[in-house]
Amino acid sequence: MGILEDKSNARVFYKYLSKVYDKINWFNWNEEMRAEALSWLEFGDDPKVIDVGCGTGFGTEGLLEHADDVHGLDQSVHQMEKAFEKFGRHDRVSFYRGDAERLPFRDDTFDVVWSSGSIEYWPNPIEGLRELRRVAKPGGQVLVVGPDYPHNRVLQRVADAIMLFYDEEEADRMFEAAGYETYEHHIQQSTPRSPRAITTVARVPER
């Protein structure tokens, strides 16, 4: 387990990162990548959506382009305070402080469940993926963005020490273990020199 997969370490990390997150995030995850990921989702009429691990609200902002009933959840109050500045505490988005592995929502609540840049901090990613599936409606979609495992051996050692990085094969294993039957992976990259993201779009099985 990487050092930032410990939840207390991750909270401390984001306490300080929240001050500059929006200024540096573009190197890993930018508006073009977000728009491409959103294009893989089917929102339908009046969708209810949630951004799990919403942070400062970068993904949330994209979801608001497609839905009016938008919810955001994060464990870091410092990250969420930045989101409050953008959207208000109770205005355009309903915010919750909580844990991705124990979501405070009933089964079959959301049409679309989005989570970008969060899974790498989950101590139990399979349990987190099960939770995303649980709160999604049957036939709905779950989209998860995480860091693609680097090919360089030195970078692999660094990655393993910090947090969860995974390739398509590992993504297959995690999503299947979490109960997903239909999914597809996409590799995204901000610039040729940026770290690669692995974006998975999964369909929630009918119950």
Side-chain angles (χ1 to χ4, degrees):
M1 179 181 292
I3 188 172
L4 292 181
E5 289 175 86
D6 179 279
K7 293 178 183 179
S8 61
N9 290 341
R11 283 193 292 269
V12 172
F13 173 72
Y14 270 112
K15 176 180 179 181
Y16 297 100
L17 184 64
S18 62
K19 299 176 182 179
V20 297
Y21 184 84
D22 285 341
K23 295 180 181 178
I24 65 174
N25 187 46
W26 66 268
F27 187 67
N28 296 314
W29 180 242
N30 61 26
E31 292 183 3
E32 290 76 15
M33 295 167 72
R34 182 184 66 188
E36 183 179 39
L38 287 163
S39 73
W40 298 324
L41 295 172
E42 301 165 7
F43 287 94
D45 297 327
D46 300 321
K48 185 173 185 177
V49 306
I50 185 168
D51 185 358
V52 176
C54 63
T56 63
F58 183 75
T60 315
E61 188 175 14
L63 291 170
L64 283 166
E65 298 174 1
H66 299 268
D68 295 323
D69 192 356
V70 178
H71 303 254
L73 176 142
D74 203 278
Q75 69 160 342
S76 170
V77 67
H78 299 94
Q79 288 280 83
M80 291 177 69
E81 284 174 350
K82 297 296 182 181
F84 297 157
E85 293 174 8
K86 298 176 184 178
F87 312 115
R89 287 179 178 265
H90 308 290
D91 297 336
R92 300 182 66 195
V93 181
S94 298
F95 286 105
Y96 313 82
R97 186 178 183 188
D99 188 333
E101 295 169 4
R102 294 187 297 274
L103 294 173
F105 308 106
R106 295 179 178 178
D107 296 0
D108 308 343
T109 298
F110 300 99
D111 298 285
V112 170
V113 178
W114 169 289
S115 184
S116 53
S118 181
I119 189 174
E120 57 264 41
Y121 303 105
W122 301 351
N124 300 294
I126 293 174
E127 185 60 35
L129 292 174
R130 287 194 185 110
E131 277 290 273
L132 301 190
R133 179 172 62 84
R134 179 184 67 79
V135 302
K137 295 178 182 179
Q141 289 178 289
V142 171
L143 182 145
V144 177
V145 183
D148 188 43
Y149 198 64
H151 299 293
N152 182 285
R153 290 187 178 181
V154 174
L155 292 179
Q156 288 175 353
R157 292 182 180 179
V158 174
D160 291 340
I162 298 175
M163 57 190 182
L164 175 67
F165 286 72
Y166 57 95
D167 58 15
E168 292 188 40
E169 183 177 351
E170 178 65 9
D172 286 345
R173 187 191 70 81
M174 292 192 299
F175 275 82
E176 288 174 8
Y180 296 88
E181 300 171 1
T182 305
Y183 52 82
E184 57 184 21
H185 310 303
H186 306 267
I187 299 299
Q188 296 183 279
Q189 194 170 21
S190 176
T191 72
R193 301 183 65 179
S194 299
R196 304 196 319 169
I198 179 168
T199 301
T200 301
V201 182
R203 181 75 63 180
V204 177
E206 297 287 347
R207 293 182 176 84

